Amino acid sequence: MKTLYLKSDDKKSIQTAAEILQNGGLVAIPTETVYGLAANALDSEAVKKIFIAKGRPQDNPLIVHVSSIEEIEPLVEKIDPRAYALAEKYWPGPLTIIMKKSDKIPAEVSAGLDTVAIRMPSHECARAIISASGLPLAAPSANASGRPSPTKAAHVVEDLDGRIDAVVDGGESDVGVESTVVTLCTDPPTLLRPGGITPQQLIDVLGEIEISHAVYEKLKEGEKVQSPGMKYKHYAPKAQVTIIKGSFEQYKKFLLAQRDTVCAVCFEGEGKHFEKYIEYGRESDELSQAHSIFDALREVDAMGCRRAFVRCPVSDGVGLAVYNRLLRSAAFRVIDLDIKIPVIGLTGQTGAGKTSVGAMLKDKGYAIVDTDILARKAVENPEVLGMLAARFGDDIIKNGVLDRRELARRAFADKEGSEALNAITHPEITRLAVEEIHLAEENGARAAVIDAALLFDSCLAALCDKNISVVADENERLERIMKRDSISEEDALLRIKAQPPVEYYIEKADIVINNNAGDDLQNQLARL
Ligand code: TXA
Ligand code: MG
């Protein structure tokens, strides 16, 4: 079908949109939160088309949009007086209220639940279309399911052109994140989705509210949810998104240490430090962040970056909504760079005795973060597994378990293979390392030591305040490797030659520890 493009300031547009809706069609309309994909809420055939156009899961209910308070009466079993109180204060505006539904609401709208979600938008064009059609309009966000919500008509066109009857261009959505969803069907009322109306604003009217744990946390496998929308991967660009907590200095150091070109999604004025960046709003200004976040997430893909690192938004007020959306677009991947204890990187040539140095530091009360162990843990992550299978073949996973030997055989066959393996696993190893450092911090460790053979070939060195290289003469290392791993001199030499020369380790380290027979390690470590 050809999608009609209408401008909201053209008088005829409102009438045309209303007629399409009365005839059971789909129209994307601007609202102050995000664009909505509207259909007649009382016509189940029309509503079914919404699910098809968006590719939306059937069990995710829709919000019904009205243009006056009187319109809600026929839609609900009976009106809760608290709904009037909320409406009086925050309607028209970015608040959705859930109540018990009446029989007029088709099962398609409520996805089989006995409740209905209702909102009165404040965008003039949205209200004009609702009143001109004389219908309550079911409207989810007008994006393809899973994609960032649309805040411009161009975003709707990007996702749904040719799949809907019309789009009405009413300019950029002002708020930029979807409405707050609160249910009055629980006692106390529960905030199911944070949005343009803050938790405090709800408390001002309702007294007490509960905040659904799904706002902050990943749902457990098979958990029953109050708001089905919270269950799905959402708002996600194709690039992998990670939220970074901490100061701008920490963020900058970490991003500049990445091996591939990543996209910095940061605040106004910060972008100039990076090769590829998108700025979303001003630091500590949650309204400006809300306004631009979805547009920024869409831009990430336009830049062609595989990974994006987002500066953590303010998380109260409307900022809670921004944080909640970002958490989902990042599949809950957060790295907190605000580390309070000193972090030391420990690396060295094979056979130089890095492990012995690590053991000595452990005795001094330092927590050891062993990246060999983390590398094994990283490949248990389903997302990492998926990426490995896509790169190295589905058959490296047998009955859900990774065949490590086969992966190693394929990945280490050539340089591209091992680089691809690192590119997939290093980000997860880094995330796990930071998690362990925070754990060490909580457990009262004096400092944390990241033990990593590839310290300088990864972004791990950027997490460290000081880096130590352990080196030893080649003959000495040869003996140690042969003895330790019971291998021939030839094989031991191969391993030694596979690593960079000693100068590499010396040049990049802050502290070099010599570990030949007769060297006093304790004495050298005392310098720490
Ligand atoms: O700002 C908004 O709310 C936008 C604009 C277009 O109005 N609409 C929007 O709709 O965000 P949608 O479908 O993308 O999100 C609706 C959310 C989903 O998380 C859904 O699960 C939840 O509201 N919801 C709808 N009806 C519900 C119900 N009866 N019970 C629980 N959750 C419900
Ligand atoms: Mg949505």
Side-chain angles (χ1 to χ4, degrees):
M1 88 177 51
K2 178 153 170 42
T3 300
L4 210 57
Y5 181 85
L6 307 167
K7 296 282 271 181
S8 69
D9 48 13
D10 178 351
K11 283 228 169 61
K12 280 198 307 239
S13 296
I14 305 294
Q15 205 42 48
T16 310
E19 277 163 24
I20 295 172
L21 291 163
Q22 286 161 345
N23 292 323
L26 301 185
V27 182
I29 61 171
T31 89
E32 72 282 14
T33 56
V34 301
Y35 276 70
L37 180 58
N40 176 0
L42 305 179
D43 175 351
S44 50
E45 290 310 312
V47 170
K48 277 183 197 158
K49 292 185 200 163
I50 292 180
F51 287 86
I52 294 166
K54 278 186 58 109
R56 182 178 176 103
Q58 298 285 342
D59 64 349
N60 196 2
L62 306 176
I63 296 172
V64 177
H65 296 67
V66 297
S67 62
S68 72
I69 300 249
E70 295 73 55
E71 289 165 56
I72 65 178
E73 203 184 316
L75 308 176
V76 298
E77 197 175 73
K78 73 173 197 302
I79 299 185
D80 186 315
R82 293 170 302 178
Y84 280 129
L86 286 170
E88 184 152 335
K89 199 128 193 208
Y90 304 122
W91 275 6
L95 175 66
T96 295
I97 306 171
I98 296 179
M99 287 175 275
K100 282 263 182 309
K101 80 177 191 75
S102 75
D103 295 341
K104 279 197 126 187
I105 297 290
E108 283 77 12
V109 170
S110 58
L113 301 175
D114 60 356
T115 53
V116 61
I118 304 180
R119 140 168 148 84
M120 190 198 296
S122 65
H123 197 290
E124 261 183 50
C125 172
R127 295 172 47 140
I129 293 173
I130 301 168
S131 26
S133 69
L135 298 165
L137 299 179
S141 48
N143 51 286
S145 199
R147 297 261 299 147
S149 299
T151 54
K152 296 174 178 171
H155 296 161
V156 179
V157 173
E158 202 170 273
D159 283 13
L160 300 177
D161 193 31
R163 305 176 67 85
I164 61 178
D165 296 287
V167 50
V168 184
D169 187 345
E172 277 185 37
S173 293
D174 190 29
V175 180
V177 289
E178 304 88 336
S179 62
T180 300
V181 178
V182 64
T183 176
L184 299 180
C185 301
T186 57
D187 189 25
T190 307
L191 170 68
L192 298 180
R193 181 178 75 179
I197 296 294
T198 65
Q200 187 55 50
Q201 284 177 300
L202 292 179
I203 292 168
D204 290 346
V205 172
L206 297 172
E208 195 190 346
I209 60 163
E210 200 155 296
I211 298 186
S212 165
H213 75 97
V215 168
Y216 304 100
E217 291 168 27
K218 197 171 359 194
L219 293 166
K220 294 182 194 71
E221 194 81 33
E223 182 181 338
K224 194 169 174 297
V225 283
Q226 285 173 297
S227 186
M230 287 298 180
K231 183 161 76 174
Y232 301 103
K233 183 167 179 187
H234 239 119
Y235 319 115
K238 292 187 191 77
Q240 184 194 61
V241 175
T242 305
I243 300 174
I244 305 290
K245 288 188 173 166
S247 69
F248 178 64
E249 277 315 307
Q250 291 165 323
Y251 175 84
K252 187 172 124 195
K253 183 176 177 204
F254 185 71
L255 257 70
L256 294 178
Q258 299 302 315
R259 315 275 299 169
D260 50 346
T261 311
V262 299
C263 183
V265 182
C266 52
F267 301 130
E268 253 171 51
E270 295 174 347
K272 57 178 180 283
H273 300 279
F274 309 102
E275 195 181 322
K276 297 217 170 177
Y277 68 91
I278 297 157
E279 294 177 337
Y280 83 103
R282 291 172 294 277
E283 188 171 10
S284 36
D285 175 358
E286 66 272 29
L287 294 182
S288 69
Q289 293 166 13
H291 180 78
S292 348
I293 187 59
F294 283 135
D295 190 42
L297 288 175
R298 281 178 182 262
E299 277 296 307
V300 165
D301 283 341
M303 292 216 157
C305 292
R306 214 174 48 82
R307 296 192 295 149
F309 290 101
V310 186
R311 282 264 272 144
C312 190
V314 184
S315 62
D316 43 48
V318 175
L320 178 62
V322 182
Y323 186 61
N324 166 275
R325 307 306 190 272
L326 275 172
L327 270 179
R328 281 167 175 76
S329 71
F332 292 87
R333 194 177 13 259
V334 181
I335 295 184
D336 181 1
L337 294 179
D338 197 5
I339 296 166
K340 303 282 187 314
I341 53 174
V343 180
I344 293 156
L346 175 63
T347 190
Q349 300 169 290
T350 174
K354 163 168 83 71
T355 315
S356 324
V357 173
M360 286 176 167
L361 290 171
K362 195 171 176 186
D363 289 341
K364 287 178 188 281
Y366 293 37
I368 307 294
V369 177
D370 183 336
T371 53
D372 282 340
I373 295 176
L374 297 185
R376 263 169 268 151
K377 212 166 149 191
V379 295
E380 286 166 12
N381 177 315
E383 201 185 357
V384 173
L385 270 182
M387 289 192 274
L388 289 174
R391 174 62 176 77
F392 297 106
D394 290 335
D395 55 335
I396 57 162
I397 298 167
K398 304 206 166 78
N399 304 323
V401 185
L402 178 70
D403 182 343
R404 283 170 204 287
R405 245 167 212 269
E406 188 52 29
L407 172 65
R409 206 180 60 76
R410 292 183 197 180
F412 296 126
D414 51 43
K415 195 156 166 268
E416 284 86 61
S418 49
E419 276 173 6
L421 177 63
N422 288 343
I424 293 170
T425 56
H426 280 189
E428 178 63 3
I429 295 172
T430 305
R431 191 189 68 79
L432 291 168
V434 176
E435 220 171 66
E436 277 209 12
I437 294 170
H438 285 295
L439 210 63
E441 203 171 74
E442 279 165 34
N443 294 335
R446 284 175 65 190
V449 175
I450 303 182
D451 175 341
L454 294 179
L455 183 69
F456 299 130
D457 294 308
S458 68
C459 64
L460 289 169
L463 299 174
C464 302
D465 302 297
K466 288 267 185 279
N467 288 305
I468 302 179
S469 284
V470 184
V471 300
D473 294 342
E474 185 166 312
N475 285 341
E476 187 117 9
R477 293 184 318 125
L478 199 60
E479 297 267 314
R480 287 185 195 152
I481 300 171
M482 286 163 57
K483 205 161 133 204
R484 182 188 69 195
D485 300 336
S486 326
I487 55 173
S488 69
E489 183 172 335
E490 208 179 11
D491 285 346
L493 260 177
L494 272 181
R495 287 200 200 169
I496 287 178
K497 297 290 179 221
Q499 287 192 324
V502 67
E503 290 78 22
Y504 174 89
Y505 292 93
I506 294 177
E507 188 187 302
K508 292 185 182 286
D510 300 294
I511 298 167
V512 177
I513 303 240
N514 287 295
N515 185 21
N516 289 308
D519 285 335
D520 184 349
L521 282 185
Q522 288 294 3
N523 207 7
Q524 295 183 66
L525 281 180
R527 288 194 322 210
L528 269 178

